Structure formats: C-alpha cells, structure tokens
Amino acid sequence: MLIFFRFEGCPACNLALPYYQRALWPELQKLGASLTAVSPQVPERLVAIKTRHDLGFNVASDLGNELGRRLGILYTFDEASQKSSLSKGTWIGETTGTAPGSCRCRRSW
C-alpha cells in the first residue's frame, strides 16, 4: 500500500504517519502486505520523519512527483494561492524540490 504525504515538516503528516504506524501497518503485516509512505521531498530530508516517529515501514522519495503525476493525484495552486504562498517568502517546492505550486492533494491520503 502506498500513502502519499507532503514533506517531513508537514504538521498533518506528522500526525498521520504515526497513526498509520499504529493502526494500519500491523493489519497490513498480518495480511502479508507492505506499506510505503511516499513524498516528493528529497530522500536526505525524509530520514528525519522516519527517525522522529520510529516508522517501521518504508519511506520513499518521489523526486519530481513522477509517480504522483502518473497516478493523477497532484494539483496546482491557483494563481492567488501561489502569490499568497510566495508573499510569505517560501513555496512548497523549496522544501520538497518540486515545481512551484505543485503539491499533494488531500485525496491522496
């Protein structure tokens, strides 16, 4: 099973991934299935979330959002949202290494 998340510093991701560790992963193991959490963030930064929560399942990088794009689970912020994000000094791509305005959508959870 693949679970997509934004990046290691995402507050929602830091709640969801430990929950999946406790509630979902053990059941998947009983079925002989595996679990992998996938983020567009560079692998070096993903080590932090795996270590922080002692995640027993795989955490993988989808550099350039290639898999996310192939699965059709990406979206682009509208122009107003992009401007708002940039006005705060950063955009998600600086953290993940993706193109400006692209990120994981909620339906990917």
Side-chain angles (χ1 to χ4, degrees):
M1 173 179 274
L2 298 176
I3 296 172
F4 290 87
F5 71 104
R6 293 176 61 205
F7 60 96
E8 72 84 18
C10 168
C13 303
N14 276 279
L15 292 173
L17 292 176
Y19 173 78
Y20 297 144
Q21 168 90 7
R22 292 186 310 273
L24 182 59
W25 191 51
E27 297 303 316
L28 289 172
Q29 286 182 300
K30 289 178 189 175
L31 297 171
S34 61
L35 176 63
T36 300
V38 182
S39 169
Q41 192 168 33
V42 294
E44 298 78 14
R45 292 188 184 171
L46 291 177
V47 171
I49 198 166
K50 185 168 173 72
T51 303
R52 180 181 312 120
H53 300 296
D54 194 27
L55 300 176
F57 52 83
N58 294 320
V59 176
S61 181
D62 178 19
L63 292 177
N65 277 319
E66 292 300 319
L67 180 59
R69 189 171 290 104
R70 287 178 54 201
L71 295 174
I73 60 171
L74 301 181
Y75 72 93
T76 301
F77 288 124
D78 61 26
E79 188 175 339
S81 296
Q82 288 181 33
K83 286 181 181 180
S84 174
S85 178
L86 289 172
S87 73
K88 296 174 185 167
T90 61
W91 51 276
I92 191 72
E94 291 175 358
T95 301
T96 64
T98 61
S102 295
C103 70
R104 300 285 177 195
C105 67
R106 299 294 286 159
R107 73 175 179 215
S108 66
W109 285 103

